[in-house]
Amino acid sequence: MNIVERAKAPTPKFFKVLRSIGMALLAISGSIIAAPVVLPVAVVSIAGYAALAGGVISVISQITVDDEANRERSIANQLKKDNQNLPRDGIK
């Protein structure tokens, strides 16, 4: 499974929540870094590390795959593909 397939695959609920937390952390720290007022160096430095942590949390959470849902989706796709050429009137 490559990265694109992993990103498109279903994500477990816990990691969806974790991804949202990471994105919020990234947004807050980005707004602190881009603030038009002069902030102490320590605050900007911590915001930079928080942005990095938020980005890493979000990316790792996005590529985590729910195997059960992925299996169900692949079975449904296979059934759809198998039934594609069957007659629609119920006669075999």
Side-chain angles (χ1 to χ4, degrees), residues 28-40 44:
I28 291 168
S29 61
S31 63
I32 290 172
I33 291 171
V37 296
V38 177
L39 295 172
V44 175

Side-chain angles (χ1 to χ4, degrees), residues 2-88:
N2 62 21
I3 297 294
V4 175
E5 290 173 350
R6 289 185 76 86
K8 289 181 179 179
T11 304
K13 184 179 180 194
F14 172 74
F15 287 101
K16 287 181 184 179
V17 171
L18 201 60
R19 180 183 59 198
S20 298
I21 292 170
M23 293 300 286
L25 188 62
L26 187 62
I28 291 168
S29 61
S31 63
I32 290 172
I33 291 171
V37 296
V38 177
L39 295 172
V41 175
V43 172
V44 175
S45 179
I46 290 171
Y49 289 121
L52 177 67
V56 169
I57 289 170
S58 298
V59 168
I60 297 299
S61 296
Q62 179 61 41
I63 62 173
T64 304
V65 177
D66 187 3
D67 287 332
E68 176 118 2
N70 198 19
R71 243 182 270 121
E72 290 174 4
R73 190 170 75 171
S74 68
I75 290 170
N77 287 340
Q78 184 64 36
L79 286 174
K80 189 186 299 182
K81 191 170 110 178
D82 291 343
N83 292 331
Q84 184 176 7
N85 295 324
L86 292 178
R88 299 291 180 225

